[in-house]
């Protein structure tokens, strides 16, 4: 189903979509509008299902995305992915319609990074991208029917043979001009730049192919050279780069007007084919087959999800039996508790309805009178004991008690107590207080205490 929803034109919408239809439309939009992308990240939540499909998430410090790699693609991975591995995947974005979840359908996976070379690759890529050398606005369209095709590569390379074979098969009437150069080694970048410059100066072709066969990142490093990238960007001819295999990417790929996955594919892109209609039908059949395979893979994914969620009927019945038994126990306990509460309430009501007994009331009243009298006597005795104790303590510290034991208190003329004989003066009038009364006297002699 094709449905188009335009902002601000809700009145023109022909029908209301179901959730399934909406998800199908969004999935189609994603698959048609977003080309295959290469994504790097850290693996998490890795699950290898019994069906052979792989389910995992790719994450970085700021985000994560769910991924699926179907069995047919996963068996070509040359290592076992584990939690925390940093990987690079080639994938296309889609929507898992059953749950409405955005995910990546992974076509290929490899370990991320290749040491210092890979770091230099990323730094140069970022710098040239900021300069605008990768912008789509500067890309030029290829000629529909080129008068001549130029090829920059090594004369001994297998890539040249593949290109010539493909061009001879597809367009034998179009002449091919080869601009020989080294494609590997320390001198290769300068020679590649010179070959592109010769093609640009001579103008004896309408489109230029820069090709090389596959290899390691070190083998392809000449095409990550900044000089080569700037020469491709400055070339007045449309440039198609076909270096390495489908999963290999170089700086030259990003700068070129068109990137081909292989040298053969580069030749196919520039050479028209009289059998293109037949091949177009074949491509449609392949797309249909791929769509069917994707539908089958999605069905398998749904089956995997359902298998993980579905439990055997026997386990469900056992759970229900346990729940019924637990409910029966709770019901029985609640019934017993309710009976006990009602029985206690009836007993309390019965006790309140019985006639009071006067003899028991008189006995309780007499007991209370005896307890009250005893408590009063005990309280009076306790308070008397406290008064006696306080009086005895007061008598111990009273000056009168000291005088009663025969001591006297002598005060001077100014009324201060004389505690030291050295403080008295001869002839001074003093007052002597005894236990009973006092005596006025005069000091006739002072005898200080001898050491």
């Amino acid at each position: 189903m094709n449905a188009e929803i335009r902002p601000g034109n809700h009145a023109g919408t022909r029908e209301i979509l179901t959730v399934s239809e909406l998800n199908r439309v969004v999935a189609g939009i994603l698959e048609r509008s977003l080309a295959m992308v290469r994504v790097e990240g850290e693996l998490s939540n890795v699950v290898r299902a019994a069906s052979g499909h792989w389910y995992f998430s790719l994450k970085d410090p700021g985000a994560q995305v769910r991924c699926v790699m179907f069995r047919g693609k996963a068996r070509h991975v040359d290592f076992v992915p584990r939690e925390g591995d940093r990987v690079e995947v080639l994938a296309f974005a889609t929507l898992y319609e059953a749950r409405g979840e955005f995910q990546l359908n992974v076509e290929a996976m490899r370990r991320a990074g290749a040491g210092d070379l890979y770091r230099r690759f990323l730094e140069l890529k970022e710098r040239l991208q900021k300069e605008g050398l990768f912008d789509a606005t500067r890309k030029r369209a290829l000629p529909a029917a080129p008068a001549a095709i130029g090829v920059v590569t090594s004369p001994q390379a297998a890539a040249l043979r593949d290109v010539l074979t493909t061009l001879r098969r597809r367009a034998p009437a179009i002449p091919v001009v080869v601009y020989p150069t080294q494609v590997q080694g320390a001198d290769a970048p300068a020679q590649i730049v010179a070959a592109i410059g010769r093609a640009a100066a001579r103008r004896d072709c309408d489109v230029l192919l820069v090709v090389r066969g596959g290899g390691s990142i070190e083998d392809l490093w000449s095409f990550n050279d900044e000089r080569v990238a700037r020469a491709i960007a400055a070339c007045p001819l449309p440039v198609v780069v076909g270096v390495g295999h489908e999963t290999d990417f170089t700086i030259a790929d990003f700068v070129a007007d068109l990137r081909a996955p292989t040298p053969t594919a580069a030749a196919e892109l520039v050479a028209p084919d009289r059998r293109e209609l037949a091949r177009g039908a074949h491509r449609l059949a392949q797309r249909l087959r791929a769509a069917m395979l994707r539908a089958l893979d999605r069905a398998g994914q749904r089956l995997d999800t359902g298998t993980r969620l579905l439990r055997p009927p026997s386990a469900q019945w056992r759970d229900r039996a346990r729940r019924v038994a637990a409910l029966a126990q709770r019901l029985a306990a609640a019934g017993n508790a309710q009976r006990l509460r009602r029985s206690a309430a009836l007993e309390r009501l019965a006790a309140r309805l019985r006639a009071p007994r006067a003899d028991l009331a008189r006995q309780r009243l007499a007991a209370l009178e005896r307890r009250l009298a005893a408590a009063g006597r005990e309280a009076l005795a306790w308070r008397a004991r406290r008064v006696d104790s306080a009086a005895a303590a007061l008598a111990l510290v009273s000056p009168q008690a000291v005088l009663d034991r025969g001591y006297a208190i002598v005060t001077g003329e100014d009324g201060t107590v004389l505690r030291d004989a050295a403080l008295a003066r001869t002839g001074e009038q003093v007052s002597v207080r005894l236990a009973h009364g006092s005596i006025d006297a005069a000091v006739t002699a002072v005898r200080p205490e001898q050491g």
Side-chain angles (χ1 to χ4, degrees), residues 279-294:
R279 289 203 177 95
H282 180 61
R283 284 195 296 271
L284 288 175
Q286 287 182 328
R287 288 178 59 188
L288 179 60
R289 180 175 179 275
M292 292 176 61
L293 290 176
R294 283 198 297 270

Side-chain angles (χ1 to χ4, degrees), residues 49 71 100 134 143 187 229 234 237-238 249 267 284 294 315 319 348 353 365 367 373 390 424 436 440 446:
R71 178 181 61 249
F134 302 165
D187 298 331
L237 302 172
F249 279 83
L284 288 175
R294 283 198 297 270
D319 288 346
R348 288 194 298 272
L353 291 174
L365 181 60
H436 301 287
D440 292 329
V446 176

Side-chain angles (χ1 to χ4, degrees), residues 111-427:
R111 296 186 186 276
D116 185 59
L117 287 179
Y118 190 71
R119 178 184 57 78
R120 288 162 53 192
F121 168 84
L122 293 178
E123 290 175 353
L124 178 59
K125 178 184 174 185
E126 182 180 4
R127 181 154 51 85
L128 296 183
Q129 186 172 16
K130 289 180 179 178
E131 292 183 22
L133 266 65
F134 302 165
D135 291 350
T137 54
R138 59 167 298 277
K139 307 288 185 180
R140 291 164 296 188
L142 303 184
I149 298 173
V151 182
V152 175
T153 191
S154 171
Q156 293 78 32
L160 178 60
R161 292 193 297 273
D162 294 340
V163 168
L164 294 177
T165 300
T166 302
L167 293 177
R168 199 161 39 243
R169 171 175 50 82
R170 292 175 60 88
I174 299 179
V176 178
V177 182
V178 178
Y179 302 93
T181 178
Q182 290 185 19
V183 292
Q184 183 175 338
D187 298 331
Q191 293 192 20
I192 295 172
V193 171
I196 295 173
R198 285 196 304 273
R202 290 167 53 177
R203 294 292 186 99
D204 48 11
C205 59
D206 298 329
V207 63
L208 189 63
L209 304 184
V210 179
V211 296
R212 187 209 189 280
S216 66
I217 188 172
E218 293 83 358
D219 297 335
L220 306 179
W221 193 250
S222 298
F223 297 91
N224 290 322
D225 192 281
E226 184 175 356
R227 294 170 292 175
V228 174
R230 295 192 181 278
I232 293 174
C235 183
L237 302 172
V239 179
V240 178
V241 172
V243 175
H245 299 301
E246 183 175 356
T247 57
D248 295 321
F249 279 83
T250 65
I251 298 297
D253 291 318
F254 298 108
V255 180
D257 295 294
L258 188 62
R259 182 254 177 187
T262 62
T264 300
E268 292 176 346
L269 288 172
V270 298
D273 192 349
R274 58 183 178 271
R275 295 169 294 179
E276 188 60 35
L277 291 176
R279 289 203 177 95
H282 180 61
R283 284 195 296 271
L284 288 175
Q286 287 182 328
R287 288 178 59 188
L288 179 60
R289 180 175 179 275
M292 292 176 61
L293 290 176
R294 283 198 297 270
L296 289 174
D297 287 335
R298 288 168 181 162
Q301 186 179 5
R302 293 183 62 188
L303 180 61
D304 291 337
T305 303
T307 302
R308 288 197 299 269
L309 298 177
L310 185 63
R311 301 172 58 205
S314 57
Q316 296 184 28
W317 282 113
R318 284 195 297 270
D319 288 346
R320 291 179 179 177
R322 283 195 293 268
R323 290 179 60 190
V324 169
L327 288 173
Q329 291 178 354
R330 290 175 59 187
L331 183 60
N336 290 334
Q338 188 175 14
R339 284 195 298 272
L340 291 174
R341 286 195 299 270
R342 291 184 176 179
S343 177
L346 287 174
E347 290 180 356
R348 288 194 298 272
L349 288 174
R352 291 173 62 185
L353 291 174
R354 285 196 297 266
R357 295 182 56 183
D359 54 345
L360 292 178
R362 284 193 293 271
Q363 292 176 4
R364 290 181 62 189
L365 181 60
L368 289 173
E369 289 177 348
R370 289 193 296 273
R371 288 175 60 187
L372 181 60
R377 290 192 297 272
E378 179 62 26
L380 290 174
W382 178 74
R383 282 173 171 77
R385 287 194 296 272
R386 288 193 62 187
V387 170
D388 293 341
S389 176
L394 184 61
L396 290 176
V397 297
S398 172
Q400 186 64 41
V402 177
L403 296 175
D404 289 341
R405 290 197 296 272
Y407 292 96
I409 299 174
V410 180
T411 57
E413 293 176 348
D414 56 359
T416 60
V417 177
L418 295 177
R419 293 181 175 83
D420 189 349
L423 299 176
R425 299 186 306 275
T426 303

